[in-house]
Amino acid sequence: MKRESFSWKQRGSSIYYAWTGMKGFFRSEHNARIHLAITIAVLLASLLFQISSLEWCLVIVAIAIVWMAEIFNTAIEKAMDQVSMERRPGIQLVKDLSAAAVLFGAAAALVIGCIIFIPKISLLW
């Protein structure tokens, strides 16, 4: 097996393709725009409440998990649509499972957000 040599050009191409994927994701997926709005709101709240370094880490990981789950969900749905556009139970289950991963990640992010922000918000009253 021949080993390929490292190439900055290939790394640049990888970043270009990832960026192209992100642009397509935002253009085609309504949920991406919802996640973006929530992400901005959470980041602004994090700045406003001056959360700790550890809290920042938890917020960033929670945001990343939701984004990653949503992007994987979209990729899986698009791939399944290439297999068949007709309603098939096996394909529907795959799509439902990938959507469940997003729901699970979003629920975990919500719990993390509540743990971090509810005590800070309650101090305002």
Side-chain angles (χ1 to χ4, degrees), residues 17-68:
Y17 295 134
W19 183 250
T20 300
M22 286 299 296
K23 289 191 298 187
F25 175 67
F26 278 104
R27 271 195 294 263
S28 68
E29 297 302 313
H30 297 288
N31 286 345
R33 294 177 220 133
I34 293 168
H35 288 303
L36 181 60
I38 293 169
T39 296
I40 291 169
V42 168
L43 294 175
L44 290 173
S46 299
L47 290 169
L48 176 71
F49 288 110
Q50 298 177 346
I51 64 175
S52 71
S53 295
L54 177 60
E55 290 169 330
W56 268 109
C57 290
L58 293 170
V59 165
I60 290 167
V61 168
I63 289 170
I65 287 170
V66 173
W67 279 104
M68 291 168 58

